[in-house]
Amino acid sequence: MRSFKNDNAFTGLEAAIVLIAFVVVAAVFSYVVLGAGFFTTQKSQEVVHTGVQQASSTLEIVGNVYGTTALAGTPIEVINFTCALAPGGTPVDFEKVVLTYSNATQLQTLTQAGKGTAPGSGGWSIASVQNQITNDSVLERGEQFDIMAKPSNGITKNDYFTIEVKPSIGAALGITRTAPASIQQINILY
């Protein structure tokens, strides 16, 4: 009589072990995938919150930008403009704000002078505050800061220049203007 030995078949116990192994591997894999998904979601949420914070501190120009000089026909010495918070913006500490002046030939970071004082050459200051809420250098909702900037070199006729107001948090405010062809003592810059 011949006897056949068949070692190729699975027993119920072997099938259960394989099934448990597949379940464990699937559980570990799903844990890793879900963990990565939660991590990605958390990072995305942080990016959104940072973006909202950056965008919410933006400034805007109120009114015109003026260029003044002591004598008509000479280069513009001082640039005057008024800043306020954009609707929904968060307060901006002007102690931490950086102003830069640039034209075709130079890029200059202006130095901050004391509040209420006239800036020296290469400087800027908060000349006055309208609708003052607190007696500090923090621009709050409803307040307007009159800024006075004095680049080292005067602005000649038809000179194209940019002043950037860069708060510590938030987007920079770029003010790009051109000096008029005929410079008066007080000039509206467009």
Side-chain angles (χ1 to χ4, degrees), residues 54-128:
Q54 290 285 332
S56 68
S57 298
T58 55
L59 300 167
E60 66 181 4
I61 294 289
V62 177
N64 291 320
V65 177
Y66 295 94
T68 59
T69 184
L71 192 60
T74 60
I76 294 172
E77 299 168 353
V78 178
I79 302 162
N80 299 293
F81 58 93
T82 303
C83 278
L85 290 177
T90 56
V92 174
D93 185 0
F94 265 71
E95 292 290 326
K96 298 177 182 174
V97 166
V98 175
L99 257 72
T100 59
Y101 169 83
S102 62
N103 64 9
T105 59
Q106 70 174 335
L107 171 62
Q108 177 183 19
T109 300
L110 304 176
T111 329
Q112 185 175 7
K115 183 178 173 182
T117 61
S121 179
W124 71 277
S125 69
I126 301 170
S128 63

Side-chain angles (χ1 to χ4, degrees), residues 175-188:
I175 305 167
T176 302
R177 298 291 190 267
T178 303
S182 175
I183 296 176
Q184 306 303 314
Q185 284 184 306
I186 299 174
N187 305 276
I188 297 177

Side-chain angles (χ1 to χ4, degrees), residues 5-186:
K5 199 170 186 184
N6 189 354
D7 292 336
N8 295 334
F10 273 123
T11 64
L13 181 60
E14 291 171 332
I17 291 172
V18 170
L19 180 64
I20 291 171
F22 277 127
V23 169
V24 169
V25 169
V28 169
F29 180 71
S30 65
Y31 175 77
V32 169
V33 169
L34 285 175
F38 289 139
F39 177 75
T40 304
T41 302
Q42 184 180 15
K43 285 296 179 186
S44 299
Q45 186 178 16
E46 287 176 17
V47 167
V48 168
H49 286 300
T50 303
V52 168
Q53 183 182 19
Q54 290 285 332
S56 68
S57 298
T58 55
L59 300 167
E60 66 181 4
I61 294 289
V62 177
N64 291 320
V65 177
Y66 295 94
T68 59
T69 184
L71 192 60
T74 60
I76 294 172
E77 299 168 353
V78 178
I79 302 162
N80 299 293
F81 58 93
T82 303
C83 278
L85 290 177
T90 56
V92 174
D93 185 0
F94 265 71
E95 292 290 326
K96 298 177 182 174
V97 166
V98 175
L99 257 72
T100 59
Y101 169 83
S102 62
N103 64 9
T105 59
Q106 70 174 335
L107 171 62
Q108 177 183 19
T109 300
L110 304 176
T111 329
Q112 185 175 7
K115 183 178 173 182
T117 61
S121 179
W124 71 277
S125 69
I126 301 170
S128 63
V129 179
Q130 299 174 30
N131 308 325
Q132 188 167 6
I133 296 172
T134 56
N135 192 19
D136 58 13
S137 295
V138 177
L139 179 62
E140 300 177 68
R141 193 168 54 119
E143 289 183 328
Q144 295 178 355
F145 284 4
D146 296 322
I147 306 296
M148 187 183 268
K150 188 172 185 179
S152 296
N153 299 328
I155 301 168
T156 58
K157 62 182 180 176
N158 298 319
D159 194 8
Y160 181 79
F161 66 91
T162 300
I163 291 182
E164 280 191 325
V165 182
K166 301 176 185 176
S168 59
I169 296 175
L173 170 65
I175 305 167
T176 302
R177 298 291 190 267
T178 303
S182 175
I183 296 176
Q184 306 303 314
Q185 284 184 306
I186 299 174

